[in-house]
Amino acid sequence: MRPLLARVAAVVLALLSACGGHESQQPPPLQTGWNAVDGMLCADGSPTGVGVSFGTRNRVLVVLSGGGACWSQTDCKPNTPRSFGATEFALASNFTANTILDRTLAGNPFSDWTFVFVPYCTGDVHAGGDVTRTYGGVSWRHHGRANLDAAISRIAAAVPSPEKVVIAGSSAGGFGALFAFDLARSRWPAGASGPKAYLVDDSGQTFVGSDLPQSLRDAWWTAWNLDATVTPLCAGCRTDLSQLWDVLHVAHPADRLALLSSTQDATMIGFFSPIAATAFQAAVGNLAAKLRTVPNAASFVVSGSAHALLLQPGAFAAGGATLTSWLAQAVNDDPSWTSAGP
């Protein structure tokens, strides 16, 4: 799981470091490239921040990085990132081609948007309630939620009145995008002068009820102190993580909420272990069926074991549409936008 999720982070970072800025649009609080942000800390206690690449339209794509997760000595791998700063941002430089953050990608609906990259170095799918745990003698500060709060506050101060905002992420970042969406809406409120907002949860499958074992949810809640972060937003999520989609629909009925998944995502099967591929596929089907009952939500599901579809959106198709065209329908408010795939 970890090498591929590390590539997700590298892909995002590489584009941001490679793209030029548009100084005429640059708000004072942020600059092109790496920006340290007060209040953002990694698992080892080191400071972190956000990466920025300014576009030519007043629209913002916020991307939350993936990179593994850490909640026990068994599940906390040595290569799960514990720090992220300017050096890591500069090093990840050559992995942008054909991703959703490739401004030259044919049909990319975000090609002229401003990109903001939020790194992931807390091991808690961007949701931790600022608690320190020790796994195998290594100390981890799970500070993910506070990092999101600081990052989104800084972004909103820099771009206070965008036309549209997308909160997206892959894998751990997909879960994080779900948890961050309501927070983002609090900084960019809906209304006559507020932006339209969209969620893209890529490969962060919040399965329905016991499709995700209660023991696993309990372990996450305990390790990451999710009672301080997720429970206040979604009181029923500890027993049914998919309830978060209902909560977001009720709070933000005019926004669009999207899930991307494959039927047998090999990386997430490992993450949710022990779970059989057939059981995982059934759980994806149950989640997709649930989203068909949520009026402003839709899923894009492809057959196979792929993970992190935003790495190659032009390579995936469902229901006769490529992922790039399906995402374009979503953010262009096409009334025909609906779930696609098995």
Side-chain angles (χ1 to χ4, degrees), residues 90-159:
L91 287 175
S93 59
N94 297 306
F95 303 95
T96 64
N98 300 317
T99 74
I100 200 62
L101 293 174
D102 180 351
R103 294 191 188 273
T104 67
L105 178 68
N108 185 356
F110 308 112
S111 61
D112 52 5
W113 292 39
T114 287
F115 300 149
V116 181
F117 165 71
V118 180
Y120 174 57
C121 55
T122 54
D124 54 17
V125 299
H126 297 273
D130 196 20
V131 62
T132 299
R133 306 295 187 202
T134 300
Y135 310 108
V138 179
S139 178
W140 282 77
R141 185 169 180 179
H142 296 306
H143 193 69
R145 176 68 176 188
N147 282 356
L148 287 179
D149 195 357
I152 291 174
S153 295
R154 180 78 176 271
I155 299 162
V159 191

Side-chain angles (χ1 to χ4, degrees), residues 56-120:
T56 56
R57 301 182 77 179
N58 186 28
R59 298 181 176 187
V60 180
L61 171 63
V62 180
V63 176
L64 278 58
S65 178
C70 187
W71 67 92
S72 71
Q73 182 172 342
T74 301
D75 295 289
C76 194
K77 306 302 181 184
N79 60 343
T80 303
R82 298 180 67 246
S83 63
F84 195 100
T87 299
E88 289 80 6
F89 183 85
L91 287 175
S93 59
N94 297 306
F95 303 95
T96 64
N98 300 317
T99 74
I100 200 62
L101 293 174
D102 180 351
R103 294 191 188 273
T104 67
L105 178 68
N108 185 356
F110 308 112
S111 61
D112 52 5
W113 292 39
T114 287
F115 300 149
V116 181
F117 165 71
V118 180
Y120 174 57

Side-chain angles (χ1 to χ4, degrees), residues 1-6 67-69 79 171-172 266-268 270-272 307:
M1 172 179 178
R2 275 68 183 181
L4 181 54
L5 293 183
N79 60 343
S171 198
T267 296
M268 296 309 295
F271 184 76
F272 290 156
H307 180 66

Side-chain angles (χ1 to χ4, degrees), residues 15 23 59 66 90 118 138 145 150 205 212 219 237 251 264 267 310 321:
L15 178 67
E23 300 302 324
R59 298 181 176 187
V118 180
V138 179
R145 176 68 176 188
Q205 298 91 348
L212 184 64
C237 275
Q264 295 189 359
T267 296
L310 293 179

Side-chain angles (χ1 to χ4, degrees), residues 71-322:
W71 67 92
S72 71
Q73 182 172 342
T74 301
D75 295 289
C76 194
K77 306 302 181 184
N79 60 343
T80 303
R82 298 180 67 246
S83 63
F84 195 100
T87 299
E88 289 80 6
F89 183 85
L91 287 175
S93 59
N94 297 306
F95 303 95
T96 64
N98 300 317
T99 74
I100 200 62
L101 293 174
D102 180 351
R103 294 191 188 273
T104 67
L105 178 68
N108 185 356
F110 308 112
S111 61
D112 52 5
W113 292 39
T114 287
F115 300 149
V116 181
F117 165 71
V118 180
Y120 174 57
C121 55
T122 54
D124 54 17
V125 299
H126 297 273
D130 196 20
V131 62
T132 299
R133 306 295 187 202
T134 300
Y135 310 108
V138 179
S139 178
W140 282 77
R141 185 169 180 179
H142 296 306
H143 193 69
R145 176 68 176 188
N147 282 356
L148 287 179
D149 195 357
I152 291 174
S153 295
R154 180 78 176 271
I155 299 162
V159 191
S161 302
E163 298 171 1
K164 297 187 176 186
V165 174
V166 170
I167 308 298
S170 296
S171 198
F175 287 102
L178 273 167
F179 300 135
F181 191 78
D182 190 73
L183 178 60
R185 257 313 190 193
S186 73
R187 300 296 186 268
W188 287 295
S193 60
K196 295 185 176 181
Y198 311 82
L199 165 71
V200 181
D201 169 4
D202 174 20
S203 305
Q205 298 91 348
T206 49
F207 286 157
V208 179
S210 60
D211 285 349
L212 184 64
Q214 184 65 52
S215 59
L216 192 55
R217 278 176 274 126
D218 286 344
W220 295 345
W221 248 257
T222 299
W224 301 334
N225 190 25
L226 298 187
D227 272 329
T229 58
V230 177
T231 300
L233 173 63
C234 177
C237 275
R238 185 163 183 166
T239 56
D240 181 358
L241 200 53
S242 74
Q243 287 188 23
L244 189 51
W245 296 90
D246 301 301
V247 168
L248 293 179
H249 160 65
V250 171
H252 312 291
D255 295 335
R256 288 188 165 185
L257 315 174
L259 169 74
L260 316 181
S261 181
S262 67
T263 55
Q264 295 189 359
D265 182 331
T267 296
M268 296 309 295
I269 286 173
F271 184 76
F272 290 156
S273 178
I275 185 172
T278 53
F280 186 93
Q281 181 168 343
V284 169
N286 290 339
L287 179 56
K290 175 189 176 74
L291 294 188
R292 290 187 177 94
T293 72
V294 179
N296 59 334
S299 62
F300 185 96
V301 180
V302 299
S303 298
S305 60
H307 180 66
L309 308 189
L310 293 179
L311 284 176
Q312 286 188 297
F316 296 104
T322 64

